[in-house]
PDB file of all heavy atoms in Angstrom:
ATOM      1  N   GLY A  30      -9.109  -0.186 -10.482  1.00 73.00           N
ATOM      2  CA  GLY A  30      -9.276  -1.431 -10.991  1.00 73.00           C
ATOM      3  C   GLY A  30      -8.512  -1.552 -12.284  1.00 73.00           C
ATOM      4  O   GLY A  30      -7.792  -0.605 -12.758  1.00 73.00           O
ATOM      5  N   ARG A  31      -8.715  -2.620 -12.984  1.00 71.00           N
ATOM      6  CA  ARG A  31      -7.946  -2.802 -14.239  1.00 71.00           C
ATOM      7  C   ARG A  31      -8.313  -1.707 -15.217  1.00 71.00           C
ATOM      8  O   ARG A  31      -9.306  -1.449 -15.573  1.00 71.00           O
ATOM      9  CB  ARG A  31      -8.246  -4.203 -14.792  1.00 71.00           C
ATOM     10  CG  ARG A  31      -7.229  -4.694 -15.810  1.00 71.00           C
ATOM     11  CD  ARG A  31      -7.477  -6.210 -16.188  1.00 71.00           C
ATOM     12  NE  ARG A  31      -7.384  -7.112 -15.023  1.00 71.00           N
ATOM     13  CZ  ARG A  31      -6.362  -7.599 -14.562  1.00 71.00           C
ATOM     14  NH1 ARG A  31      -5.151  -7.407 -15.142  1.00 71.00           N
ATOM     15  NH2 ARG A  31      -6.363  -8.329 -13.589  1.00 71.00           N
ATOM     16  N   GLY A  32      -7.180  -1.248 -15.950  1.00 69.00           N
ATOM     17  CA  GLY A  32      -7.435  -0.004 -16.965  1.00 69.00           C
ATOM     18  C   GLY A  32      -7.476   1.179 -16.268  1.00 69.00           C
ATOM     19  O   GLY A  32      -7.843   2.230 -16.869  1.00 69.00           O
ATOM     20  N   ASP A  33      -7.083   1.358 -14.989  1.00 70.00           N
ATOM     21  CA  ASP A  33      -7.066   2.718 -14.268  1.00 70.00           C
ATOM     22  C   ASP A  33      -6.247   3.613 -15.208  1.00 70.00           C
ATOM     23  O   ASP A  33      -5.055   3.440 -15.443  1.00 70.00           O
ATOM     24  CB  ASP A  33      -6.353   2.498 -12.878  1.00 70.00           C
ATOM     25  CG  ASP A  33      -6.511   3.880 -12.045  1.00 70.00           C
ATOM     26  OD1 ASP A  33      -6.628   4.901 -12.611  1.00 70.00           O
ATOM     27  OD2 ASP A  33      -6.584   3.634 -10.824  1.00 70.00           O
ATOM     28  N   PRO A  34      -6.838   4.802 -15.641  1.00 67.00           N
ATOM     29  CA  PRO A  34      -6.067   5.745 -16.515  1.00 67.00           C
ATOM     30  C   PRO A  34      -4.908   6.268 -15.819  1.00 67.00           C
ATOM     31  O   PRO A  34      -3.977   6.885 -16.620  1.00 67.00           O
ATOM     32  CB  PRO A  34      -7.140   6.742 -16.834  1.00 67.00           C
ATOM     33  CG  PRO A  34      -8.133   6.676 -15.763  1.00 67.00           C
ATOM     34  CD  PRO A  34      -8.168   5.253 -15.347  1.00 67.00           C
ATOM     35  N   ARG A  35      -4.789   6.307 -14.497  1.00 64.00           N
ATOM     36  CA  ARG A  35      -3.563   6.895 -13.912  1.00 64.00           C
ATOM     37  C   ARG A  35      -2.279   6.031 -13.956  1.00 64.00           C
ATOM     38  O   ARG A  35      -1.285   6.476 -13.528  1.00 64.00           O
ATOM     39  CB  ARG A  35      -4.017   7.226 -12.355  1.00 64.00           C
ATOM     40  CG  ARG A  35      -5.078   8.327 -12.253  1.00 64.00           C
ATOM     41  CD  ARG A  35      -5.487   8.443 -10.830  1.00 64.00           C
ATOM     42  NE  ARG A  35      -6.074   7.196 -10.369  1.00 64.00           N
ATOM     43  CZ  ARG A  35      -6.413   6.841  -9.098  1.00 64.00           C
ATOM     44  NH1 ARG A  35      -6.190   7.850  -8.200  1.00 64.00           N
ATOM     45  NH2 ARG A  35      -6.924   5.742  -8.618  1.00 64.00           N
ATOM     46  N   GLY A  36      -2.503   4.789 -14.253  1.00 59.00           N
ATOM     47  CA  GLY A  36      -1.446   3.816 -14.331  1.00 59.00           C
ATOM     48  C   GLY A  36      -1.222   3.477 -15.841  1.00 59.00           C
ATOM     49  O   GLY A  36      -1.694   4.099 -16.869  1.00 59.00           O
ATOM     50  N   ASN A  37      -0.591   2.341 -16.177  1.00 52.00           N
ATOM     51  CA  ASN A  37      -0.225   1.909 -17.476  1.00 52.00           C
ATOM     52  C   ASN A  37      -1.418   1.143 -18.013  1.00 52.00           C
ATOM     53  O   ASN A  37      -1.375   0.646 -19.172  1.00 52.00           O
ATOM     54  CB  ASN A  37       1.086   1.187 -17.523  1.00 52.00           C
ATOM     55  CG  ASN A  37       1.116   0.007 -16.645  1.00 52.00           C
ATOM     56  OD1 ASN A  37       0.157  -0.621 -16.416  1.00 52.00           O
ATOM     57  ND2 ASN A  37       2.366  -0.410 -16.238  1.00 52.00           N
ATOM     58  N   GLY A  38      -2.314   0.771 -17.067  1.00 46.00           N
ATOM     59  CA  GLY A  38      -3.579   0.106 -17.551  1.00 46.00           C
ATOM     60  C   GLY A  38      -3.408  -1.458 -17.737  1.00 46.00           C
ATOM     61  O   GLY A  38      -4.387  -2.109 -17.824  1.00 46.00           O
ATOM     62  N   ASP A  39      -2.220  -1.996 -17.409  1.00 51.00           N
ATOM     63  CA  ASP A  39      -2.053  -3.451 -17.633  1.00 51.00           C
ATOM     64  C   ASP A  39      -2.455  -4.264 -16.480  1.00 51.00           C
ATOM     65  O   ASP A  39      -2.980  -5.388 -16.590  1.00 51.00           O
ATOM     66  CB  ASP A  39      -0.541  -3.683 -17.943  1.00 51.00           C
ATOM     67  CG  ASP A  39      -0.081  -3.059 -19.332  1.00 51.00           C
ATOM     68  OD1 ASP A  39      -1.110  -2.905 -20.184  1.00 51.00           O
ATOM     69  OD2 ASP A  39       1.036  -2.914 -19.569  1.00 51.00           O
ATOM     70  N   THR A  40      -2.302  -3.615 -15.260  1.00 50.00           N
ATOM     71  CA  THR A  40      -2.616  -4.435 -14.021  1.00 50.00           C
ATOM     72  C   THR A  40      -3.372  -3.564 -13.099  1.00 50.00           C
ATOM     73  O   THR A  40      -3.532  -2.244 -13.363  1.00 50.00           O
ATOM     74  CB  THR A  40      -1.292  -4.948 -13.293  1.00 50.00           C
ATOM     75  OG1 THR A  40      -0.643  -3.737 -12.920  1.00 50.00           O
ATOM     76  CG2 THR A  40      -0.495  -5.774 -14.235  1.00 50.00           C
ATOM     77  N   VAL A  41      -4.024  -4.115 -12.163  1.00 46.00           N
ATOM     78  CA  VAL A  41      -4.735  -3.292 -11.105  1.00 46.00           C
ATOM     79  C   VAL A  41      -3.852  -2.411 -10.315  1.00 46.00           C
ATOM     80  O   VAL A  41      -4.276  -1.563  -9.694  1.00 46.00           O
ATOM     81  CB  VAL A  41      -5.802  -4.239 -10.375  1.00 46.00           C
ATOM     82  CG1 VAL A  41      -6.817  -4.701 -11.277  1.00 46.00           C
ATOM     83  CG2 VAL A  41      -4.962  -5.189  -9.550  1.00 46.00           C
ATOM     84  N   ASP A  42      -2.639  -2.940 -10.086  1.00 49.00           N
ATOM     85  CA  ASP A  42      -1.634  -2.169  -9.263  1.00 49.00           C
ATOM     86  C   ASP A  42      -0.577  -1.648 -10.158  1.00 49.00           C
ATOM     87  O   ASP A  42       0.427  -2.081 -10.194  1.00 49.00           O
ATOM     88  CB  ASP A  42      -1.082  -3.088  -8.219  1.00 49.00           C
ATOM     89  CG  ASP A  42      -0.100  -2.346  -7.187  1.00 49.00           C
ATOM     90  OD1 ASP A  42      -0.311  -1.066  -7.191  1.00 49.00           O
ATOM     91  OD2 ASP A  42       0.650  -2.988  -6.508  1.00 49.00           O
ATOM     92  N   SER A  43      -0.933  -0.531 -10.948  1.00 49.00           N
ATOM     93  CA  SER A  43      -0.103   0.010 -11.985  1.00 49.00           C
ATOM     94  C   SER A  43       0.447   1.380 -11.611  1.00 49.00           C
ATOM     95  O   SER A  43       0.536   2.195 -12.378  1.00 49.00           O
ATOM     96  CB  SER A  43      -0.754   0.023 -13.311  1.00 49.00           C
ATOM     97  OG  SER A  43      -2.087   0.677 -13.076  1.00 49.00           O
ATOM     98  N   GLY A  44       0.763   1.546 -10.250  1.00 53.00           N
ATOM     99  CA  GLY A  44       1.282   2.806  -9.914  1.00 53.00           C
ATOM    100  C   GLY A  44       0.282   3.890  -9.725  1.00 53.00           C
ATOM    101  O   GLY A  44       0.561   5.105  -9.529  1.00 53.00           O
ATOM    102  N   ALA A  45      -0.959   3.491  -9.588  1.00 56.00           N
ATOM    103  CA  ALA A  45      -2.075   4.529  -9.533  1.00 56.00           C
ATOM    104  C   ALA A  45      -2.376   4.939  -8.028  1.00 56.00           C
ATOM    105  O   ALA A  45      -3.157   4.430  -7.376  1.00 56.00           O
ATOM    106  CB  ALA A  45      -3.450   3.960 -10.073  1.00 56.00           C
ATOM    107  N   ASP A  46      -1.390   5.706  -7.584  1.00 68.00           N
ATOM    108  CA  ASP A  46      -1.636   6.282  -6.229  1.00 68.00           C
ATOM    109  C   ASP A  46      -1.372   7.911  -6.307  1.00 68.00           C
ATOM    110  O   ASP A  46      -1.478   8.405  -7.460  1.00 68.00           O
ATOM    111  CB  ASP A  46      -0.500   5.689  -5.282  1.00 68.00           C
ATOM    112  CG  ASP A  46      -1.002   5.546  -3.894  1.00 68.00           C
ATOM    113  OD1 ASP A  46      -1.613   6.482  -3.364  1.00 68.00           O
ATOM    114  OD2 ASP A  46      -0.878   4.475  -3.298  1.00 68.00           O
ATOM    115  N   VAL A  47      -1.269   8.492  -5.219  1.00 55.00           N
ATOM    116  CA  VAL A  47      -1.368   9.872  -5.313  1.00 55.00           C
ATOM    117  C   VAL A  47      -0.154  10.509  -6.122  1.00 55.00           C
ATOM    118  O   VAL A  47      -0.332  11.448  -6.950  1.00 55.00           O
ATOM    119  CB  VAL A  47      -1.225  10.469  -3.771  1.00 55.00           C
ATOM    120  CG1 VAL A  47      -1.100  12.047  -3.845  1.00 55.00           C
ATOM    121  CG2 VAL A  47      -2.443  10.156  -3.096  1.00 55.00           C
ATOM    122  N   ARG A  48       1.055   9.974  -5.956  1.00 58.00           N
ATOM    123  CA  ARG A  48       2.189  10.283  -6.820  1.00 58.00           C
ATOM    124  C   ARG A  48       3.081   9.116  -6.848  1.00 58.00           C
ATOM    125  O   ARG A  48       2.977   8.124  -5.971  1.00 58.00           O
ATOM    126  CB  ARG A  48       2.943  11.467  -6.312  1.00 58.00           C
ATOM    127  CG  ARG A  48       3.530  11.263  -4.854  1.00 58.00           C
ATOM    128  CD  ARG A  48       4.438  12.510  -4.571  1.00 58.00           C
ATOM    129  NE  ARG A  48       3.548  13.740  -4.248  1.00 58.00           N
ATOM    130  CZ  ARG A  48       3.050  14.070  -3.048  1.00 58.00           C
ATOM    131  NH1 ARG A  48       3.374  13.252  -2.027  1.00 58.00           N
ATOM    132  NH2 ARG A  48       2.479  15.058  -2.771  1.00 58.00           N
ATOM    133  N   PRO A  49       3.928   9.014  -7.843  1.00 58.00           N
ATOM    134  CA  PRO A  49       4.830   7.872  -8.023  1.00 58.00           C
ATOM    135  C   PRO A  49       5.673   7.554  -6.888  1.00 58.00           C
ATOM    136  O   PRO A  49       6.353   8.441  -6.327  1.00 58.00           O
ATOM    137  CB  PRO A  49       5.738   8.287  -9.349  1.00 58.00           C
ATOM    138  CG  PRO A  49       4.964   9.179 -10.002  1.00 58.00           C
ATOM    139  CD  PRO A  49       4.073   9.965  -9.074  1.00 58.00           C
ATOM    140  N   GLY A  50       5.676   6.272  -6.512  1.00 60.00           N
ATOM    141  CA  GLY A  50       6.525   5.882  -5.313  1.00 60.00           C
ATOM    142  C   GLY A  50       6.031   6.264  -3.999  1.00 60.00           C
ATOM    143  O   GLY A  50       6.576   5.987  -2.955  1.00 60.00           O
ATOM    144  N   GLY A  51       4.787   6.951  -3.970  1.00 66.00           N
ATOM    145  CA  GLY A  51       4.307   7.474  -2.741  1.00 66.00           C
ATOM    146  C   GLY A  51       3.466   6.570  -1.827  1.00 66.00           C
ATOM    147  O   GLY A  51       3.760   6.316  -0.644  1.00 66.00           O
ATOM    148  N   ARG A  52       2.458   5.910  -2.465  1.00 74.00           N
ATOM    149  CA  ARG A  52       1.480   5.017  -1.546  1.00 74.00           C
ATOM    150  C   ARG A  52       0.894   5.825  -0.430  1.00 74.00           C
ATOM    151  O   ARG A  52       0.762   5.153   0.592  1.00 74.00           O
ATOM    152  CB  ARG A  52       2.246   3.765  -1.278  1.00 74.00           C
ATOM    153  CG  ARG A  52       2.599   2.972  -2.496  1.00 74.00           C
ATOM    154  CD  ARG A  52       2.650   1.438  -2.280  1.00 74.00           C
ATOM    155  NE  ARG A  52       2.862   0.779  -3.629  1.00 74.00           N
ATOM    156  CZ  ARG A  52       3.000  -0.523  -3.645  1.00 74.00           C
ATOM    157  NH1 ARG A  52       2.873  -1.292  -2.496  1.00 74.00           N
ATOM    158  NH2 ARG A  52       3.088  -1.144  -4.904  1.00 74.00           N
ATOM    159  N   GLN A  53       0.623   7.132  -0.562  1.00 82.00           N
ATOM    160  CA  GLN A  53       0.086   7.786   0.493  1.00 82.00           C
ATOM    161  C   GLN A  53      -1.210   7.288   0.873  1.00 82.00           C
ATOM    162  O   GLN A  53      -1.560   7.314   2.173  1.00 82.00           O
ATOM    163  CB  GLN A  53      -0.046   9.292   0.261  1.00 82.00           C
ATOM    164  CG  GLN A  53       1.348  10.060   0.303  1.00 82.00           C
ATOM    165  CD  GLN A  53       2.000   9.952  -1.134  1.00 82.00           C
ATOM    166  OE1 GLN A  53       1.692   9.115  -1.947  1.00 82.00           O
ATOM    167  NE2 GLN A  53       2.884  10.967  -1.326  1.00 82.00           N
ATOM    168  N   ARG A  54      -1.996   6.857  -0.026  1.00 83.00           N
ATOM    169  CA  ARG A  54      -3.337   6.267   0.321  1.00 83.00           C
ATOM    170  C   ARG A  54      -3.522   4.936  -0.104  1.00 83.00           C
ATOM    171  O   ARG A  54      -4.677   4.442  -0.670  1.00 83.00           O
ATOM    172  CB  ARG A  54      -4.368   7.188  -0.327  1.00 83.00           C
ATOM    173  CG  ARG A  54      -4.185   8.608   0.034  1.00 83.00           C
ATOM    174  CD  ARG A  54      -5.115   9.496  -0.804  1.00 83.00           C
ATOM    175  NE  ARG A  54      -4.885  11.038  -0.500  1.00 83.00           N
ATOM    176  CZ  ARG A  54      -5.561  11.963  -1.014  1.00 83.00           C
ATOM    177  NH1 ARG A  54      -6.492  11.687  -2.014  1.00 83.00           N
ATOM    178  NH2 ARG A  54      -5.191  13.191  -0.690  1.00 83.00           N
ATOM    179  N   ALA A  55      -2.485   4.043   0.028  1.00 86.00           N
ATOM    180  CA  ALA A  55      -2.473   2.632  -0.544  1.00 86.00           C
ATOM    181  C   ALA A  55      -3.546   1.842   0.300  1.00 86.00           C
ATOM    182  O   ALA A  55      -3.930   2.273   1.399  1.00 86.00           O
ATOM    183  CB  ALA A  55      -1.135   2.057  -0.254  1.00 86.00           C
ATOM    184  N   PHE A  56      -3.982   0.661  -0.254  1.00 87.00           N
ATOM    185  CA  PHE A  56      -4.717  -0.182   0.459  1.00 87.00           C
ATOM    186  C   PHE A  56      -3.954  -0.898   1.653  1.00 87.00           C
ATOM    187  O   PHE A  56      -2.868  -1.288   1.360  1.00 87.00           O
ATOM    188  CB  PHE A  56      -5.144  -1.294  -0.468  1.00 87.00           C
ATOM    189  CG  PHE A  56      -6.238  -0.877  -1.615  1.00 87.00           C
ATOM    190  CD1 PHE A  56      -5.964  -1.202  -2.944  1.00 87.00           C
ATOM    191  CD2 PHE A  56      -7.002   0.043  -1.427  1.00 87.00           C
ATOM    192  CE1 PHE A  56      -6.810  -0.877  -3.963  1.00 87.00           C
ATOM    193  CE2 PHE A  56      -7.880   0.695  -2.397  1.00 87.00           C
ATOM    194  CZ  PHE A  56      -7.786   0.112  -3.798  1.00 87.00           C
ATOM    195  N   MET A  57      -4.615  -0.965   2.708  1.00 92.00           N
ATOM    196  CA  MET A  57      -3.904  -1.382   3.836  1.00 92.00           C
ATOM    197  C   MET A  57      -3.498  -2.847   3.840  1.00 92.00           C
ATOM    198  O   MET A  57      -4.267  -3.808   3.345  1.00 92.00           O
ATOM    199  CB  MET A  57      -4.765  -1.259   5.174  1.00 92.00           C
ATOM    200  CG  MET A  57      -4.328  -1.537   6.412  1.00 92.00           C
ATOM    201  SD  MET A  57      -3.014  -0.331   6.924  1.00 92.00           S
ATOM    202  CE  MET A  57      -2.776  -0.665   8.659  1.00 92.00           C
ATOM    203  N   ASN A  58      -2.312  -3.072   4.224  1.00 94.00           N
ATOM    204  CA  ASN A  58      -1.684  -4.532   4.188  1.00 94.00           C
ATOM    205  C   ASN A  58      -1.905  -5.254   5.480  1.00 94.00           C
ATOM    206  O   ASN A  58      -1.186  -5.163   6.328  1.00 94.00           O
ATOM    207  CB  ASN A  58      -0.187  -4.466   3.816  1.00 94.00           C
ATOM    208  CG  ASN A  58       0.560  -3.563   4.784  1.00 94.00           C
ATOM    209  OD1 ASN A  58       0.367  -2.385   4.815  1.00 94.00           O
ATOM    210  ND2 ASN A  58       1.565  -4.028   5.457  1.00 94.00           N
ATOM    211  N   TRP A  59      -3.111  -5.794   5.697  1.00 96.00           N
ATOM    212  CA  TRP A  59      -3.358  -6.523   6.856  1.00 96.00           C
ATOM    213  C   TRP A  59      -2.653  -7.752   7.169  1.00 96.00           C
ATOM    214  O   TRP A  59      -2.406  -8.277   8.173  1.00 96.00           O
ATOM    215  CB  TRP A  59      -4.829  -6.850   7.018  1.00 96.00           C
ATOM    216  CG  TRP A  59      -5.609  -5.620   7.013  1.00 96.00           C
ATOM    217  CD1 TRP A  59      -6.531  -5.141   6.119  1.00 96.00           C
ATOM    218  CD2 TRP A  59      -5.749  -4.563   8.188  1.00 96.00           C
ATOM    219  NE1 TRP A  59      -7.179  -3.956   6.434  1.00 96.00           N
ATOM    220  CE2 TRP A  59      -6.684  -3.533   7.716  1.00 96.00           C
ATOM    221  CE3 TRP A  59      -5.129  -4.462   9.357  1.00 96.00           C
ATOM    222  CZ2 TRP A  59      -6.943  -2.465   8.366  1.00 96.00           C
ATOM    223  CZ3 TRP A  59      -5.483  -3.334  10.193  1.00 96.00           C
ATOM    224  CH2 TRP A  59      -6.310  -2.473   9.711  1.00 96.00           C
ATOM    225  N   GLU A  60      -2.318  -8.478   5.956  1.00 96.00           N
ATOM    226  CA  GLU A  60      -1.812  -9.818   6.116  1.00 96.00           C
ATOM    227  C   GLU A  60      -0.183  -9.821   6.083  1.00 96.00           C
ATOM    228  O   GLU A  60       0.439 -10.527   6.781  1.00 96.00           O
ATOM    229  CB  GLU A  60      -2.265 -10.718   4.838  1.00 96.00           C
ATOM    230  CG  GLU A  60      -3.811 -10.829   4.871  1.00 96.00           C
ATOM    231  CD  GLU A  60      -4.429 -11.469   6.099  1.00 96.00           C
ATOM    232  OE1 GLU A  60      -3.721 -12.264   6.792  1.00 96.00           O
ATOM    233  OE2 GLU A  60      -5.544 -11.102   6.587  1.00 96.00           O
ATOM    234  N   ALA A  61       0.340  -9.086   5.076  1.00 95.00           N
ATOM    235  CA  ALA A  61       1.887  -9.068   4.936  1.00 95.00           C
ATOM    236  C   ALA A  61       2.414  -7.815   5.715  1.00 95.00           C
ATOM    237  O   ALA A  61       2.044  -6.736   5.284  1.00 95.00           O
ATOM    238  CB  ALA A  61       2.156  -9.124   3.496  1.00 95.00           C
ATOM    239  N   TYR A  62       3.290  -8.035   6.507  1.00 96.00           N
ATOM    240  CA  TYR A  62       3.882  -7.010   7.291  1.00 96.00           C
ATOM    241  C   TYR A  62       5.144  -7.544   8.184  1.00 96.00           C
ATOM    242  O   TYR A  62       5.190  -8.837   8.360  1.00 96.00           O
ATOM    243  CB  TYR A  62       2.841  -6.317   8.201  1.00 96.00           C
ATOM    244  CG  TYR A  62       2.303  -7.122   9.356  1.00 96.00           C
ATOM    245  CD1 TYR A  62       2.957  -7.253  10.515  1.00 96.00           C
ATOM    246  CD2 TYR A  62       1.086  -7.859   8.976  1.00 96.00           C
ATOM    247  CE1 TYR A  62       2.246  -8.086  11.385  1.00 96.00           C
ATOM    248  CE2 TYR A  62       0.554  -8.649   9.930  1.00 96.00           C
ATOM    249  CZ  TYR A  62       1.113  -8.808  11.217  1.00 96.00           C
ATOM    250  OH  TYR A  62       0.508  -9.573  12.121  1.00 96.00           O
ATOM    251  N   SER A  63       5.941  -6.681   8.667  1.00 97.00           N
ATOM    252  CA  SER A  63       6.974  -7.001   9.562  1.00 97.00           C
ATOM    253  C   SER A  63       6.649  -7.089  10.955  1.00 97.00           C
ATOM    254  O   SER A  63       6.154  -6.111  11.388  1.00 97.00           O
ATOM    255  CB  SER A  63       8.159  -6.118   9.437  1.00 97.00           C
ATOM    256  OG  SER A  63       9.036  -6.211  10.519  1.00 97.00           O
ATOM    257  N   GLU A  64       6.517  -8.188  11.564  1.00 97.00           N
ATOM    258  CA  GLU A  64       6.080  -8.415  13.050  1.00 97.00           C
ATOM    259  C   GLU A  64       7.026  -7.466  14.021  1.00 97.00           C
ATOM    260  O   GLU A  64       6.403  -6.991  14.848  1.00 97.00           O
ATOM    261  CB  GLU A  64       6.105  -9.863  13.389  1.00 97.00           C
ATOM    262  CG  GLU A  64       5.031 -10.681  12.725  1.00 97.00           C
ATOM    263  CD  GLU A  64       4.878 -12.006  13.247  1.00 97.00           C
ATOM    264  OE1 GLU A  64       5.637 -12.333  14.193  1.00 97.00           O
ATOM    265  OE2 GLU A  64       4.134 -12.809  12.608  1.00 97.00           O
ATOM    266  N   SER A  65       8.278  -7.512  13.730  1.00 97.00           N
ATOM    267  CA  SER A  65       9.069  -6.776  14.658  1.00 97.00           C
ATOM    268  C   SER A  65       8.907  -5.203  14.452  1.00 97.00           C
ATOM    269  O   SER A  65       9.093  -4.475  15.445  1.00 97.00           O
ATOM    270  CB  SER A  65      10.603  -7.007  14.426  1.00 97.00           C
ATOM    271  OG  SER A  65      11.011  -6.840  13.033  1.00 97.00           O
ATOM    272  N   HIS A  66       8.639  -4.920  13.282  1.00 98.00           N
ATOM    273  CA  HIS A  66       8.275  -3.372  12.990  1.00 98.00           C
ATOM    274  C   HIS A  66       7.088  -3.022  13.821  1.00 98.00           C
ATOM    275  O   HIS A  66       7.033  -1.872  14.492  1.00 98.00           O
ATOM    276  CB  HIS A  66       8.254  -3.214  11.609  1.00 98.00           C
ATOM    277  CG  HIS A  66       7.994  -1.739  11.105  1.00 98.00           C
ATOM    278  ND1 HIS A  66       9.031  -0.812  10.845  1.00 98.00           N
ATOM    279  CD2 HIS A  66       6.838  -1.008  10.977  1.00 98.00           C
ATOM    280  CE1 HIS A  66       8.571   0.342  10.501  1.00 98.00           C
ATOM    281  NE2 HIS A  66       7.136   0.306  10.639  1.00 98.00           N
ATOM    282  N   LEU A  67       6.039  -3.750  13.671  1.00 98.00           N
ATOM    283  CA  LEU A  67       4.735  -3.484  14.363  1.00 98.00           C
ATOM    284  C   LEU A  67       4.996  -3.631  15.715  1.00 98.00           C
ATOM    285  O   LEU A  67       4.339  -2.781  16.569  1.00 98.00           O
ATOM    286  CB  LEU A  67       3.661  -4.426  13.809  1.00 98.00           C
ATOM    287  CG  LEU A  67       2.294  -4.298  14.432  1.00 98.00           C
ATOM    288  CD1 LEU A  67       1.757  -2.938  14.190  1.00 98.00           C
ATOM    289  CD2 LEU A  67       1.463  -5.300  13.895  1.00 98.00           C
ATOM    290  N   ALA A  68       5.756  -4.529  16.313  1.00 97.00           N
ATOM    291  CA  ALA A  68       5.926  -4.633  17.770  1.00 97.00           C
ATOM    292  C   ALA A  68       6.477  -3.473  18.419  1.00 97.00           C
ATOM    293  O   ALA A  68       6.107  -3.077  19.520  1.00 97.00           O
ATOM    294  CB  ALA A  68       6.809  -6.033  18.039  1.00 97.00           C
ATOM    295  N   LEU A  69       7.376  -2.696  17.763  1.00 97.00           N
ATOM    296  CA  LEU A  69       7.987  -1.567  18.321  1.00 97.00           C
ATOM    297  C   LEU A  69       6.961  -0.548  18.435  1.00 97.00           C
ATOM    298  O   LEU A  69       6.825   0.183  19.529  1.00 97.00           O
ATOM    299  CB  LEU A  69       9.202  -1.032  17.566  1.00 97.00           C
ATOM    300  CG  LEU A  69       9.729   0.338  18.081  1.00 97.00           C
ATOM    301  CD1 LEU A  69      10.559  -0.121  19.471  1.00 97.00           C
ATOM    302  CD2 LEU A  69      10.757   1.018  17.224  1.00 97.00           C
ATOM    303  N   TYR A  70       6.144  -0.303  17.460  1.00 98.00           N
ATOM    304  CA  TYR A  70       5.050   0.579  17.581  1.00 98.00           C
ATOM    305  C   TYR A  70       4.091   0.405  18.708  1.00 98.00           C
ATOM    306  O   TYR A  70       3.765   1.076  19.606  1.00 98.00           O
ATOM    307  CB  TYR A  70       4.241   0.592  16.221  1.00 98.00           C
ATOM    308  CG  TYR A  70       4.791   1.446  15.268  1.00 98.00           C
ATOM    309  CD1 TYR A  70       5.860   1.117  14.418  1.00 98.00           C
ATOM    310  CD2 TYR A  70       4.136   2.827  15.010  1.00 98.00           C
ATOM    311  CE1 TYR A  70       6.270   2.002  13.401  1.00 98.00           C
ATOM    312  CE2 TYR A  70       4.556   3.631  13.970  1.00 98.00           C
ATOM    313  CZ  TYR A  70       5.784   3.202  13.222  1.00 98.00           C
ATOM    314  OH  TYR A  70       6.175   4.036  12.313  1.00 98.00           O
ATOM    315  N   ARG A  71       3.759  -0.934  18.991  1.00 98.00           N
ATOM    316  CA  ARG A  71       2.795  -1.394  19.949  1.00 98.00           C
ATOM    317  C   ARG A  71       3.505  -1.149  21.421  1.00 98.00           C
ATOM    318  O   ARG A  71       2.922  -0.750  22.220  1.00 98.00           O
ATOM    319  CB  ARG A  71       2.346  -2.755  19.847  1.00 98.00           C
ATOM    320  CG  ARG A  71       1.351  -2.978  18.802  1.00 98.00           C
ATOM    321  CD  ARG A  71       1.007  -4.609  18.495  1.00 98.00           C
ATOM    322  NE  ARG A  71      -0.196  -4.588  17.710  1.00 98.00           N
ATOM    323  CZ  ARG A  71      -0.460  -5.715  17.140  1.00 98.00           C
ATOM    324  NH1 ARG A  71       0.279  -6.836  17.067  1.00 98.00           N
ATOM    325  NH2 ARG A  71      -1.523  -5.891  16.400  1.00 98.00           N
ATOM    326  N   ASN A  72       4.731  -1.496  21.404  1.00 97.00           N
ATOM    327  CA  ASN A  72       5.406  -1.468  22.790  1.00 97.00           C
ATOM    328  C   ASN A  72       5.592   0.104  23.231  1.00 97.00           C
ATOM    329  O   ASN A  72       5.396   0.330  24.365  1.00 97.00           O
ATOM    330  CB  ASN A  72       6.871  -2.087  22.662  1.00 97.00           C
ATOM    331  CG  ASN A  72       6.709  -3.569  22.618  1.00 97.00           C
ATOM    332  OD1 ASN A  72       5.700  -4.144  22.870  1.00 97.00           O
ATOM    333  ND2 ASN A  72       7.907  -4.194  22.098  1.00 97.00           N
TER     334      ASN A  72
END
């Protein structure tokens, strides 16, 4: 949440993940994604 000490504290998405640039445990993006990318996985 806002003020997360692992980030800069200004926004709720302030780089607070396992490591910079990683997003190993990011919140799942159900709405925004590449349809063609997902299609290959499904196929």
Side-chain angles (χ1 to χ4, degrees):
R31 201 173 297 277
D33 189 331
R35 297 172 296 173
N37 58 28
D39 295 334
T40 65
V41 292
D42 186 15
S43 54
D46 212 313
V47 178
R48 61 172 70 91
R52 299 206 171 180
Q53 286 87 343
R54 303 175 186 178
F56 296 137
M57 187 67 167
N58 52 299
W59 296 112
E60 304 298 330
Y62 59 90
S63 165
E64 291 186 5
S65 60
H66 184 87
L67 179 60
L69 180 71
Y70 274 78
R71 284 178 165 161
N72 291 341

